[in-house]
Amino acid sequence: MNRIMNHSFIYLSVHNFHTMNREHFLEVLANRKQWDVAVIGGGATGLGIAVDASLRGFSVVLFEAFDFCKGTSSRSTKLVHGGVRYLAQGDVFLVMEALKERGILLRNAPHLVKDQTFIIPADRWWEGPFYTIGLKLYDLLAGKWSFGRSVFLRRKLARMALPSVLPERLKGGILYHDGQFDDTRMGIALAKTAAAHGACLLNYMPVTDFYKNDEGKLTGLKVQDAESGKTFDVHARCIINATGVFADSLRKMENPRTKKMIRPSQGIHIVLDASFLHGTNALMIPKTDDGRVLFAIPWHGKVVVGTTDTPVEQVSIEPSALDEEIDFILKTAAGYLVRPPSRNDILAVFAGLRPLAAAEGQEQKTKEISRRHKLELSDGGLITITGGKWTTYRRMAEETLDFAIKHGFLPSRPCITKKIPLHGYMKNPDWSDPFHVYGAEAETIRDLMKSLPDGERFLHPDFPYTVAEVVWAVREEMARTIEDILARRTRMLFLDAEAALQCASSVAEIMAAELKKDKTWIESQIQAFREVASRFIPSK
């Protein structure tokens, strides 16, 4: 494979090969005994590594125990950002790196990343100059990757820009720019980009064991298909643990004596109706009672408000928001919004766990732990990547593979992901079109809508998602459960949990027809989805 691939060749190949097919990938797995790279974990980091490794010409297999982006990677604040808060903490290097990566993401996936304007209210005379100086530095650090200049807004303009915020909070305001995206649609774009370049990706395929040679060095792993129960032995030159908050359990499986390297922290978000924040500007509250910042951001026709920072002992694939976290967000938002939200106004609440890279015995508060990522190589040869955030996924992948090359697991080949458009790449999408998240594939899905007898029917009267999108997600995006469809291929569970519940049986029937499943499967799927959805509905 020619190392010097030109841009247009990559562009065309990403667009011409768009199918992700689980049966095909299972066949590939059964027939191939040796791989260059085995990635464990199908979130932002793992998928990013699969993209980078496949573009370097390595043979790549990726295993995800649940669904792609099921955990932390679907539960972000939906921002591609440098991190204004990290600037306040003095982590200039992290901010510079993230601002550059933000610009690269906008260039490579303009159908999924867009400029979002934020306004910080200034309710004391000195806050205007203070935040303006800080954000001018933010602009400066962005350099050529800037999304737009920050400006100070006088009282009248600030109140026009944030009509839903209490006037007494707006003696002025500072407008700045950052990026917004759809996290799981980005995950699918990464998966399809990797697949287009030969990667084999399997969801619902947990790793159950490792294989070592006589010297105690890793040679492979055992995986089990969660659907069929069938096991596979996989041999790889390089094994990468990119399982986020679950990284320590995998490290312990490989070496029971290993020390923890992750301090998990929970962050939650609540979702409100768009009427709580009129207009297109997002609100950024610079200091809350717990020392964090709080965002209220327009997203897919709703408003996402968060987040919190709560240390947790146990990691779970389906974490639940604590009552005190919900109350904290409601109380903080009520101090700024003309219409204070209550529990009855919450359409959905979602909790995510941050895999903060902090060694055992490190006694920092979780909000003070750097969001930088960390690489580790075990004595047995397991490479673990932890920490980081969505914005820097590409850089994390690049550093992980360079680390593998440096330690002799792989031959040296350069990273080329900086200038590679992601699957679905489409310039200047229409952001008012709900199909913009599919980018260049949108027209193919519209054709599918017309070709299916019921294809244009909406799953729910309040949402733009159609029957055709369910069929597409099963055929082309490896959706296997109701939750895959309603939480991650579409975002309905995150936008309105009750509405998602109302669609469950309809989605199950469409999927059953595609996957050739029976009534028992439909019933068990509906029950499983009800259990997950109940965590997205707060107690009143």
Side-chain angles (χ1 to χ4, degrees), residues 114-136:
K114 73 179 181 77
D115 173 33
Q116 172 66 55
T117 49
F118 291 77
I119 295 171
I120 301 176
D123 56 3
R124 297 182 185 89
W125 69 267
W126 55 267
E127 287 182 339
F130 177 76
Y131 292 124
T132 303
I133 291 165
L135 287 161
K136 287 295 181 191

Side-chain angles (χ1 to χ4, degrees), residues 237-419:
R237 296 161 68 173
C238 173
I239 299 173
I240 299 169
N241 172 10
T243 53
V245 290
F246 298 99
D248 278 340
S249 57
L250 209 70
R251 289 169 68 246
K252 282 208 180 294
M253 185 195 292
E254 192 259 332
N255 176 8
R257 293 183 303 282
T258 195
K259 285 188 171 179
K260 287 182 183 175
M261 66 184 289
I262 287 174
R263 284 267 302 283
S265 154
Q266 177 162 295
I268 76 150
H269 297 80
I270 65 170
V271 179
L272 303 169
D273 186 72
S275 59
F276 280 90
L277 191 71
H278 291 291
T280 57
N281 296 312
L283 166 68
M284 197 270 241
I285 299 167
K287 200 146 177 84
T288 62
D289 292 346
D290 79 341
R292 288 186 58 84
V293 301
L294 195 80
F295 293 102
I297 307 166
W299 190 66
H300 287 318
K302 306 294 180 193
V303 177
V304 176
V305 190
T307 181
T308 56
D309 197 327
T310 310
V312 289
E313 290 302 316
Q314 295 299 316
V315 295
S316 156
I317 190 60
E318 198 56 69
S320 290
L322 304 172
D323 280 337
E324 52 264 40
E325 291 180 296
I326 296 170
D327 292 340
F328 166 77
I329 289 180
L330 289 172
K331 181 187 166 197
T332 307
Y336 282 82
L337 299 178
V338 171
R339 183 176 155 210
S342 70
R343 278 180 176 262
N344 292 329
D345 297 310
I346 297 174
L347 301 171
V349 57
F350 57 93
L353 301 177
R354 301 178 189 91
L356 302 179
E360 207 166 348
Q362 194 174 320
E363 293 305 321
Q364 274 175 299
K365 289 181 180 173
T366 50
K367 69 182 178 207
E368 293 165 357
I369 298 172
S370 171
R371 292 321 190 240
R372 288 193 200 190
H373 50 276
K374 185 176 174 185
L375 277 157
E376 183 211 60
L377 177 63
S378 76
D379 292 341
L382 178 67
I383 295 172
T384 296
I385 171 84
T386 59
K389 56 196 193 118
W390 245 118
T391 310
T392 56
Y393 88 87
R394 192 208 64 80
R395 181 66 186 262
M396 290 166 69
E398 179 180 352
E399 287 185 17
T400 304
L401 285 160
D402 287 349
F403 183 85
I405 289 166
K406 178 184 152 191
H407 287 278
F409 293 98
L410 300 166
S412 182
R413 290 175 189 172
C415 171
I416 59 168
T417 53
K418 272 183 193 166
K419 291 187 178 176

Side-chain angles (χ1 to χ4, degrees), residues 166-212:
L166 292 163
E168 60 267 30
R169 286 286 194 183
L170 290 166
K171 292 187 172 66
I174 305 90
L175 180 148
Y176 75 97
H177 298 257
D178 242 325
Q180 188 188 52
F181 79 139
D182 185 314
D183 46 18
T184 59
R185 292 307 316 176
M186 181 69 78
I188 296 299
L190 290 173
K192 287 194 166 190
T193 306
H197 293 93
C200 173
L201 307 105
L202 284 152
N203 52 358
Y204 298 101
M205 187 71 73
V207 171
T208 57
D209 207 354
F210 286 110
Y211 294 118
K212 292 183 176 179

Side-chain angles (χ1 to χ4, degrees), residues 502-513:
Q502 290 163 26
C503 303
S505 57
S506 167
V507 169
E509 283 173 21
I510 301 162
M511 293 185 79

